[in-house]
Amino acid sequence: MRQKMYSKDIILVLAATFFYMSSPMLATPLITGFSESIGATAAVMGFIGGLMNLVSLVCRPLAGNLADKISKYKLSFIGAIFMTAACVGYVFAPNEAVLVILRIVNGFGFACCSVCMSTWMSNMLPKEKVGSGMGVYGTMNALGMAVAPAIGVSVYQKSGYRAAFVIALVFSIAIMVTIQFIGDRGEPMKQENTEGGEKKRLQLIDARVIPISFIIMLFAIPYCATQSFLVTYAEVRELDVAVSMLFPFYEVVLIVLRLSLRNLFDKLPFRVFLAAGCASELTAILLLTVMKNNVVMFLAAAFLAGGYGIMSSACQSTAILLAGKGKRGLANSTYYIGLDLGMTLGPMIGGALYGGLDIRLFYPVLMITMPLAAAVEAVAGFRRKKA
């Protein structure tokens, strides 16, 4: 069992996961500023910044179906080619119109890689270790999200936007190189090809995973609203806090939590994670409401990691188990639809709250997401399966 959990193929998939996450995450904090530097207006800057996630949202159902029908190696390679093409384009983009096209290309590649890597990883895991294995998978995502933006900003400050995009290009090429050495190509299950009726029917979502998708969306909304408006929130409230340190600290705490709790993902029922996650994220939102100094901010970051951060792993592993092995690609794409919606709605809701309410009500209003998440589980009444 231990050998299966830490096989060469799994380690290589985890490495490829780090690279696929690092490439777009390096570009994300730079792309709006770069678009302005080549002539984009403020409105177009925002559109370009969010376009990759929007495209990923639309493409994930297609990627989920493909992940259950063709080899994971092929789909990952296709996604990596698109991401590489986008990064090459970023280096040479002459204007904002070309940049829009490149963001669409990047979004399609990212959708393929994100759905495929998680499905590939889950299919390699023993069924008793899906929860802990996906927790480690989530740790690699978190590591990419923590390391890549720091590298990108550092290179940009020293050498400019285009030099930073070269590093993103290296990450995307590394995906293609890494997966060449994976022995298990992730071929589709044989029973999928023998069930004639199932084979012909195109499914865009897995109905069993929809409640999980809603729950992760509700957890993502406060996190993404914070990600977009924390700097502005601190400035308007004249808070003396180092806001730039919140998310790096969040990532460090999240990595520690995921590694520490990884075995519990297979032992505890989903409701335990949901209750703890709701309590943790509510505490984080409350701390952000009363925040006056860095100590409170760091505590908020830690509780945010215990909420949104841990729930992203718990929801993904539960989605996989609910769907069953033959539908893991579709389950992952359905899960990511909820995540993409949260990432899209978070900044939009944050903007509406910032523009329409007293700034002191910004976080109290966001607290409603946690009771709603608990209500979704209560209505759905699902139970986490072990096989």
Side-chain angles (χ1 to χ4, degrees):
M1 185 70 66
R2 189 173 186 80
Q3 192 174 22
K4 288 181 180 179
M5 264 297 287
Y6 300 102
S7 68
K8 181 200 77 170
D9 284 353
I10 285 179
I11 291 171
L12 289 172
V13 169
L14 289 172
T17 296
F18 172 78
F19 295 136
Y20 102 74
M21 182 59 70
S22 294
S23 180
M25 289 303 106
L26 188 149
T28 294
L30 304 177
I31 202 71
T32 52
F34 175 63
S35 65
E36 183 181 33
S37 73
I38 58 175
T41 63
V44 174
M45 286 169 60
F47 175 71
I48 288 173
L51 185 57
M52 190 190 82
N53 282 330
L54 181 61
V55 172
S56 293
L57 173 63
V58 174
C59 291
R60 284 195 202 277
L62 172 62
N65 275 277
L66 288 175
D68 291 323
K69 290 178 171 60
I70 67 174
S71 78
K72 313 304 178 286
Y73 165 79
K74 288 180 182 177
L75 188 57
S76 295
F77 194 77
I78 291 169
I81 288 174
F82 276 86
M83 292 176 71
T84 300
C87 291
V88 170
Y90 293 157
V91 175
F92 299 104
N95 54 56
E96 69 274 22
V98 172
L99 200 55
V100 167
I101 296 172
L102 295 173
R103 293 299 278 171
I104 294 172
V105 172
N106 205 343
F108 179 76
F110 182 68
C112 289
C113 284
S114 59
V115 171
C116 190
M117 291 291 181
S118 55
T119 306
W120 204 353
M121 173 77 176
S122 67
N123 284 346
M124 290 182 183
L125 293 167
K127 63 183 180 182
E128 302 87 354
K129 296 291 183 179
V130 169
S132 55
M134 295 311 293
V136 176
Y137 173 86
T139 301
M140 297 306 294
N141 277 325
L143 191 61
M145 292 174 69
V147 171
I151 294 174
V153 171
S154 177
V155 174
Y156 155 68
Q157 290 173 339
K158 293 178 180 177
S159 306
Y161 288 112
R162 296 181 194 273
F165 294 143
V166 170
I167 308 300
L169 172 61
V170 171
F171 281 132
S172 61
I173 292 173
I175 304 168
M176 292 188 285
V177 174
T178 302
I179 63 176
Q180 301 306 315
F181 300 97
I182 300 176
D184 181 351
R185 296 296 188 173
E187 296 294 338
M189 296 177 66
K190 289 182 180 180
Q191 57 263 37
E192 293 172 15
N193 297 326
T194 58
E195 294 172 0
E198 278 294 310
K199 184 179 177 182
K200 294 178 181 178
R201 189 179 66 182
L202 177 66
Q203 287 183 273
L204 297 180
I205 58 174
D206 189 317
R208 293 165 293 188
V209 181
I210 290 175
I212 295 291
S213 184
F214 271 108
I215 288 170
I216 194 59
M217 178 192 76
L218 291 164
F219 272 88
I221 286 171
Y223 174 85
C224 295
T226 298
Q227 194 175 46
S228 298
F229 285 91
L230 182 63
V231 173
T232 304
Y233 175 83
E235 288 176 352
V236 172
R237 297 205 64 186
E238 299 180 347
L239 302 176
D240 184 20
V241 293
V243 291
S244 63
M245 295 302 298
L246 184 140
F247 289 102
F249 187 78
Y250 161 89
E251 298 292 354
V252 170
V253 174
L254 178 57
I255 290 170
V256 172
L257 284 175
R258 277 179 169 160
L259 291 176
S260 301
L261 302 176
R262 64 185 186 277
N263 291 328
L264 295 181
F265 287 118
D266 296 302
K267 296 177 181 178
L268 298 178
F270 180 75
R271 277 190 170 179
V272 172
F273 284 102
L274 181 62
C278 286
S280 188
E281 189 140 334
L282 277 173
T283 302
I285 296 172
L286 179 61
L287 288 169
L288 289 168
T289 303
V290 301
M291 178 174 62
K292 297 290 184 182
N293 54 54
N294 286 327
V295 173
V296 177
M297 186 192 73
F298 287 135
L299 283 172
F303 280 104
L304 200 58
Y308 169 71
I310 291 299
M311 284 304 297
S312 61
S313 291
C315 285
Q316 187 169 26
S317 59
T318 300
I320 288 168
L321 292 171
L322 285 171
K325 194 163 185 176
K327 295 286 187 179
R328 286 180 178 176
L330 193 61
N332 273 309
S333 68
T334 306
Y335 161 82
Y336 278 116
I337 286 171
L339 190 60
D340 282 334
L341 282 171
M343 294 174 71
T344 302
L345 291 174
M348 293 175 61
I349 292 172
L353 295 176
Y354 174 71
L357 295 175
D358 187 310
I359 192 64
R360 291 172 295 184
L361 297 176
F362 185 87
Y363 281 110
V365 172
L366 288 173
M367 286 183 179
I368 196 173
T369 55
M370 293 302 96
L372 288 175
V376 170
E377 199 280 339
V379 171
F382 59 81
R383 294 293 184 273
R384 189 175 182 168
K385 296 180 182 179
K386 291 290 182 182

